[in-house]
Amino acid sequence: MKDSMNRRQFILAAGALAGSAVLAGCGGSSTSSSSTSTSTDSSSNAASSSSDDSYTLVKNGTLTVVAELGFAPFEYMNDKTGDPEGFDVDVINAVADKMGLQCEYLPNQKFDTLVPLIKQGGKADVSIAAITITDEREESVDFSEPYLDSNQAIVAIKGSTETEETLNDASKQVVCQGGTTGNDWITENLPNATCVPVDDVTAALTGVQTGLYNAMVVDLPVAKYMLTNSFSDLDIIEEIATGEQYGIAISKDNPNLTKAVNKALEDMKSDGTMDSIETKWFGSTI
Ligand code: GLN
């Protein structure tokens, strides 16, 4: 009886292996630089003879990216060209390039839909959107190795006397982008304040400008960039050392894609690509 159970288990395991081989045949690999999107044979994307490092792609030869495109300097729409631009856009383009893939962005999505969208699969291969690696998100998706460190900031109108203490009051409206770590920080650290999650960072900052909100909690590099470039009448009243790290979100069903992305990031660190992208967007390597 025990023997037959073992045989059954073996057959199940063999079946699972065969299944993964079929999957691998539909995917790309770290050497699939010559794959073409005109091919009708989906298996042609796997150029490597070894199926061990194969990954799947939504579209052959293409790394399909989803993001919330209102988070300068990480990702925003260039109004003139209609193309996404930013630090993350440069990073993911370089990653795709290293993998021999084209990079294609899906239309803008709300931030709090990105992780569920990657978890669900079928629409995008990766999401890069200044997404902080958190334990909660790691239950839904895998992340690449961290590619940037970050913190939070409290933003208020210039000359404001608000502090973390004064904001922790039900009469105070503290805005954030919904579903972000800034949102979590308010909930945990300003439990008495009225937390207002919104979709759009620019709308949130405009609301702080007009007095609709008393303050905003947002990623520090975004606060710095937006205040320098568009909101000169706002100030960072406190920097919060949350010690966050950004990662690229990838489906748990596609572990070899995470490996290939990590390999590309590693190469970008050692060959100076990452340094030059950091210098381009932040003036120096940070
Ligand atoms: N880093 C923050 C988070 O992951 C904010 C990201 C964003 O708004 N694009 O929640």
Side-chain angles (χ1 to χ4, degrees):
M1 189 61 189
K2 194 160 181 280
D3 271 345
S4 74
M5 291 265 297
N6 283 341
R7 259 199 304 280
R8 191 176 125 74
Q9 279 163 356
F10 172 77
I11 289 162
L12 280 175
L17 274 179
S20 67
V22 170
L23 253 187
C26 300
S29 77
S30 59
T31 54
S32 66
S33 57
S34 61
S35 63
T36 66
S37 51
T38 50
S39 169
T40 50
D41 175 8
S42 61
S43 67
S44 68
N45 206 30
S48 169
S49 53
S50 153
S51 61
D52 291 343
D53 60 351
S54 294
Y55 48 77
T56 59
L57 292 171
V58 168
K59 187 173 158 191
N60 276 348
T62 301
L63 191 64
T64 306
V65 185
V66 68
E68 194 277 323
L69 296 164
F71 212 59
F74 295 107
E75 41 271 314
Y76 59 91
M77 287 303 272
N78 179 319
D79 291 338
K80 287 192 191 106
T81 63
D83 289 328
E85 270 180 17
F87 176 90
D88 285 348
V89 180
D90 285 355
V91 167
I92 204 65
N93 267 301
V95 166
D97 199 53
K98 294 262 181 230
M99 294 166 69
L101 301 170
Q102 297 290 320
C103 196
E104 233 175 70
Y105 268 79
L106 295 182
N108 186 44
Q109 302 289 327
K110 287 182 191 177
F111 182 77
D112 58 6
T113 67
L114 299 176
V115 166
L117 218 134
I118 292 296
K119 182 184 178 182
Q120 180 196 321
K123 294 249 164 51
D125 301 307
V126 299
S127 183
I128 183 166
I131 305 176
T132 302
I133 302 168
T134 66
D135 291 346
E136 194 188 340
R137 291 172 183 162
E138 277 186 316
E139 285 172 20
S140 302
V141 293
D142 283 341
F143 280 98
S144 69
E145 290 299 319
Y147 65 90
L148 196 73
D149 294 340
S150 189
N151 287 304
Q152 295 292 311
I154 306 179
V155 174
I157 195 97
K158 257 190 184 147
S160 160
T161 54
E162 298 287 4
T163 62
E164 207 177 310
E165 289 69 37
T166 64
L167 287 169
N168 192 20
D169 186 281
S171 68
K172 300 296 168 70
Q173 311 271 325
V174 184
V175 70
C176 59
Q177 192 172 41
T180 60
T181 47
N183 196 158
D184 292 342
W185 187 88
I186 297 170
T187 312
E188 281 158 31
N189 297 281
L190 305 176
N192 299 325
T194 307
C195 177
V196 187
V198 300
D199 291 336
D200 186 68
V201 170
T202 301
L205 289 170
T206 306
V208 177
Q209 210 170 35
T210 59
L212 183 60
Y213 312 117
N214 298 93
M216 175 172 196
V217 177
V218 64
D219 292 22
L220 178 62
V222 174
K224 282 185 175 161
Y225 188 91
M226 298 287 262
L227 268 50
T228 305
N229 291 287
S230 324
F231 293 91
S232 53
D233 51 350
L234 300 183
D235 240 347
I236 293 172
I237 60 166
E238 193 180 320
E239 295 189 7
I240 311 159
T242 49
E244 293 170 55
Q245 293 188 302
Y246 297 157
I248 301 168
I250 301 170
S251 166
K252 284 186 181 294
D253 295 335
N254 214 356
N256 286 332
L257 181 58
T258 306
K259 277 188 203 152
V261 166
N262 280 337
K263 168 82 172 64
L265 287 173
E266 225 176 272
D267 290 351
M268 286 160 59
K269 277 180 193 152
S270 56
D271 71 7
T273 307
M274 202 55 124
D275 278 355
S276 66
I277 297 174
E278 286 178 5
T279 307
K280 174 179 167 189
W281 290 101
F282 300 109
S284 62
T285 56
I286 50 174

